Amino acid sequence: MARYIFITGGVVSSLGKGLASAALGALLQARGFSVRLRKLDPYINVDPGTMSPYQHGEVYVTDDGAETDLDLGHYERFTGRPASQADNVTTGRLYQNIIARERRGDYLGATVQVIPHVTDAIKEFVLEGNEDVDFVLCEIGGTVGDIEGLPFFEAIRQLGNDLPRGGAIYIHLTLVPYIPSAGELKTKPTQHSVKELRSIGIQPDILLCRSDRPIPENERRKIALFCNVPQGAVIQALDVASIYDVPIAYHREGFDREVLKAFGMEEEGTRPVPDLSRWEDIAERIHNPEGQVRIAIVGKYTELKDAYKSLSEALVHGGIANKVRVELEWIESEIFEKEDPAPFLEGVNGILVPGGFGERGAEGKIAAATFARTRNVPYFGICFGMQMAVIEAARNMAGIAGASSTEFGETGEPVVGLMTEWMRGNELETRAAGGDMGGTMRLGAFKARLGAGTRISRIYGSCDISERHRHRYEVNMRYRERLEAAGMVVSGVSPDGLLPETVELPDHPWFIGVQYHPELKSKPFEPHPLFASFIEAAVEQSRLV
């Protein structure tokens, strides 16, 4: 029987519920349990696919093509268990399904209401498909007290009664702030947050208290007393140097022990001892590197680092693989449309141009690709970054002066153009230029065939790969012959040979572009081979400086 852990947040947002959920999942795995993690988001968007990166941060894509919350990236990176469409739901998607059912007459004339119909739909989502796991961790997005979150809190309250006794616990993540003028930590925000949670019928079993300094025993005792939890269940969650320190830090505070205790599983002999050796190895590599490299990320959304969360973590994983610290230089690509990129890029050991949408900053990304190509600096172009590298090569290597993308408007040389059809397995998928924006890209895992003897096939150690995609535009294969004659090789294609998946410059120290998003599959204990190889090339480049 699966046991359920509901994780809620209070006081303020951005305390790290997703990271806490992922770390707890990793700790339970380390004790030999199987886990599944799910995210319930209260916003009305059907999914985050149409949301601005400045509003939402990264859109994480699963193998089955779901556009989901970035916390699912944390879940995968920490537990290694692939997420799916069934692991993230929003208010919008729930209402979309409920209204469709109402239109079909599925409710047999009943008045459709938040209770029970919406709450029942939430409960169905939480309970479905958990037969093969020991623990299901459900994170509720937002903060207790948010009006849009009330149906979700009501649903998990009901589940506490619906499930067998001992089948569910509640963990509440709060903030214990330090007030400099008073010279002390304040517990009142946590007290008020728990009061709000209890007012809607949920009594937390464990409090996870974020703080930038140790919480004294007296304050923990006070929190326990006023929040009606055992003192041992008040867990301090201190700031750490790396997110990959969190599982070990939480274990030292007894977080996983208190979770098992809340389920009545604390007896000696029934509680497996956790094996945290791989997390200890990761921490050792992060905190005691043998060198350092500087990587420039030339992007469009660099003001909000969460827009590139999986990307920055994959670069850290590449550093772990090479036992070096990766220092990231975030550069807004628009700068290069006004200024010479050389002063910004001359000191870096690698340049990465990530995905993006729209014309803004595109010429700056092209300028970054020019610098990398002509200065022999390792270059990694991902999705839009690959497309801009191809346009750069078409203009400056193949002599196609007007090379551009139809994403930016009409062009006589559409080196990059809108995709209208592609194969998913044996099925043809089609899209129209004027269709809906949401959920209409080439999404999810697709296979690709890499050319034998190419650099990228050597990196993968295989010619057959599967990677996750999220894009509407594709390099035009009609330009392949001219590009390859100029020196840029299309080194990977879709199984039917119609869509380009990877490009490279064979005569360059390391210059690769990929249409997919390899960062989505990288993990600290299993770095993606492309990121490991890119950082290895950056290490070699640093030795030449």
Side-chain angles (χ1 to χ4, degrees):
M1 181 192 75
R3 295 176 172 86
Y4 290 82
I5 302 172
F6 299 107
I7 299 101
T8 60
V11 184
V12 295
S13 59
S14 300
L15 288 180
K17 291 195 305 297
L19 193 57
S21 302
L24 177 57
L27 288 173
L28 292 171
Q29 279 186 329
R31 290 181 177 271
F33 297 109
S34 58
V35 300
R36 181 176 193 174
L37 292 97
R38 290 177 149 170
K39 177 74 183 287
L40 285 65
D41 278 309
Y43 51 74
I44 298 178
N45 302 68
V46 173
D47 59 46
T50 58
M51 297 169 71
S52 165
Y54 292 120
Q55 286 270 327
H56 184 268
E58 173 189 70
V59 175
Y60 190 79
V61 179
T62 60
D63 277 341
D64 61 357
E67 294 176 287
T68 70
D69 186 82
L70 63 82
D71 281 330
L72 271 74
H74 287 313
Y75 302 165
E76 281 203 23
R77 283 188 287 274
F78 276 69
T79 69
R81 178 182 172 119
S84 72
Q85 178 80 54
D87 292 319
N88 189 203
V89 74
T90 69
T91 294
R93 193 167 125 214
L94 288 166
Y95 273 86
Q96 185 182 57
N97 294 338
I98 289 168
I99 291 171
R101 292 174 65 183
E102 185 273 332
R103 293 290 83 186
R104 290 194 304 267
D106 292 357
Y107 295 111
L108 303 177
T111 300
V112 181
Q113 297 176 290
V114 173
I115 301 173
H117 300 98
V118 175
T119 51
D120 281 353
I122 295 169
K123 291 193 291 183
E124 287 171 13
F125 174 83
V126 170
L127 295 174
E128 188 175 3
N130 301 322
E131 297 80 10
D132 63 337
V133 295
D134 298 314
F135 289 96
V136 181
L137 288 74
C138 292
E139 175 194 349
I140 314 302
T143 306
V144 63
D146 294 344
I147 191 169
E148 62 266 27
L150 287 175
F152 292 91
F153 290 115
E154 171 61 18
I156 65 172
R157 182 199 68 78
Q158 292 179 19
L159 281 170
N161 292 325
D162 295 345
L163 292 166
R165 183 177 294 276
I169 66 169
Y170 302 93
I171 297 173
H172 193 51
L173 177 65
T174 73
L175 177 68
V176 180
Y178 179 78
I179 308 300
S181 59
E184 60 183 358
L185 291 163
K186 289 296 183 180
T187 66
K188 194 63 71 177
T190 293
Q191 295 177 43
H192 280 297
S193 184
V194 172
K195 181 181 178 182
E196 180 76 28
L197 195 61
R198 293 174 69 187
S199 73
I200 55 180
I202 297 174
Q203 167 62 50
D205 297 282
I206 298 171
L207 296 178
L208 191 59
C209 301
R210 285 296 308 275
S211 177
D212 64 353
R213 64 202 66 209
I215 303 173
E217 283 299 314
N218 189 51
E219 273 65 31
R220 292 203 216 184
R221 190 178 305 113
K222 186 176 181 181
I223 291 172
L225 177 64
F226 284 96
C227 297
N228 194 33
V229 299
Q231 187 173 336
V234 179
I235 308 295
Q236 65 177 3
L238 303 179
D239 295 347
V240 291
S242 165
I243 63 171
Y244 302 114
D245 291 327
V246 174
I248 294 174
Y250 281 4
H251 173 67
R252 287 173 181 163
E253 295 296 331
F255 186 28
D256 48 326
R257 182 188 66 244
E258 288 298 324
V259 167
L260 296 181
K261 186 176 180 180
F263 280 112
M265 303 169 65
E266 77 279 10
E267 296 85 357
E268 294 298 331
T270 65
R271 186 175 69 234
V273 176
D275 178 8
L276 299 176
S277 56
R278 74 175 178 180
W279 293 104
E280 291 165 352
D281 179 59
I282 290 167
E284 171 65 23
R285 286 171 177 257
I286 289 174
H287 297 302
N288 297 292
E290 297 175 0
Q292 178 174 301
V293 294
R294 292 177 62 203
I295 303 298
I297 299 179
V298 183
K300 297 177 61 172
Y301 316 114
T302 56
E303 292 179 13
L304 181 67
K305 305 300 186 294
D306 272 358
Y308 300 112
K309 190 60 181 175
S310 291
L311 186 70
S312 60
E313 293 308 318
L315 287 166
V316 171
H317 305 162
I320 291 171
N322 290 278
K323 299 183 179 180
V324 296
R325 177 179 291 114
V326 179
E327 180 183 338
L328 301 182
E329 299 281 342
W330 299 91
I331 303 174
E332 187 70 28
S333 60
E334 284 185 284
I335 293 174
F336 295 164
E337 297 177 359
K338 303 173 184 177
E339 301 184 39
D340 180 5
F344 297 87
L345 299 176
E346 282 178 340
V348 304
N349 309 122
I351 298 170
L352 191 150
V353 176
F357 298 92
E359 188 174 8
R360 182 181 68 81
E363 291 297 329
K365 294 187 175 187
I366 292 171
T370 301
F371 182 93
R373 179 178 61 81
T374 57
R375 298 291 190 94
N376 285 329
V377 178
Y379 177 88
F380 196 177
I382 295 176
C383 196
F384 193 83
M386 166 182 155
Q387 296 171 9
M388 295 307 100
V390 172
I391 290 174
E392 193 279 331
R395 290 178 183 177
N396 301 320
M397 296 173 64
I400 308 172
S404 188
S405 170
T406 59
E407 186 174 2
F408 311 150
E410 292 186 10
T411 174
E413 297 287 0
V415 173
V416 175
L418 178 70
M419 301 179 67
T420 56
E421 59 182 46
W422 58 87
M423 297 299 296
R424 178 180 288 277
N426 295 320
E427 296 184 7
L428 178 68
E429 294 193 357
T430 61
R431 298 292 184 269
D436 289 347
M437 298 291 286
T440 58
M441 289 184 274
R442 188 181 185 215
L443 291 166
F446 289 86
K447 294 179 180 180
R449 179 73 179 173
L450 306 179
T454 58
R455 180 193 298 273
I456 196 166
S457 68
R458 293 195 299 270
I459 291 171
Y460 274 98
S462 174
C463 289
D464 296 297
I465 63 170
S466 175
E467 293 283 1
R468 299 177 188 177
H469 294 64
R470 184 178 184 251
H471 59 104
R472 282 192 180 85
Y473 293 82
E474 188 82 54
V475 171
N476 192 335
M477 284 288 268
R478 288 183 295 173
Y479 290 87
R480 179 177 184 175
E481 186 175 333
R482 296 166 71 180
L483 287 167
E484 293 192 333
M488 174 169 275
V489 175
V490 177
S491 51
V493 296
S494 56
D496 58 13
L498 299 178
L499 302 176
E501 294 281 8
T502 73
V503 298
E504 61 185 62
L505 295 177
D507 296 330
H508 191 280
W510 206 99
F511 194 106
I512 290 176
V514 298
Q515 185 58 73
Y516 47 83
H517 289 270
E519 69 273 19
L520 299 177
K521 295 179 71 172
S522 187
K523 302 170 183 64
F525 43 83
E526 190 181 342
H528 193 285
L530 282 176
F531 283 91
S533 178
F534 177 57
I535 297 302
E536 181 182 17
V539 171
E540 290 300 317
Q541 201 274 346
S542 69
R543 292 169 180 162
L544 301 175
V545 177

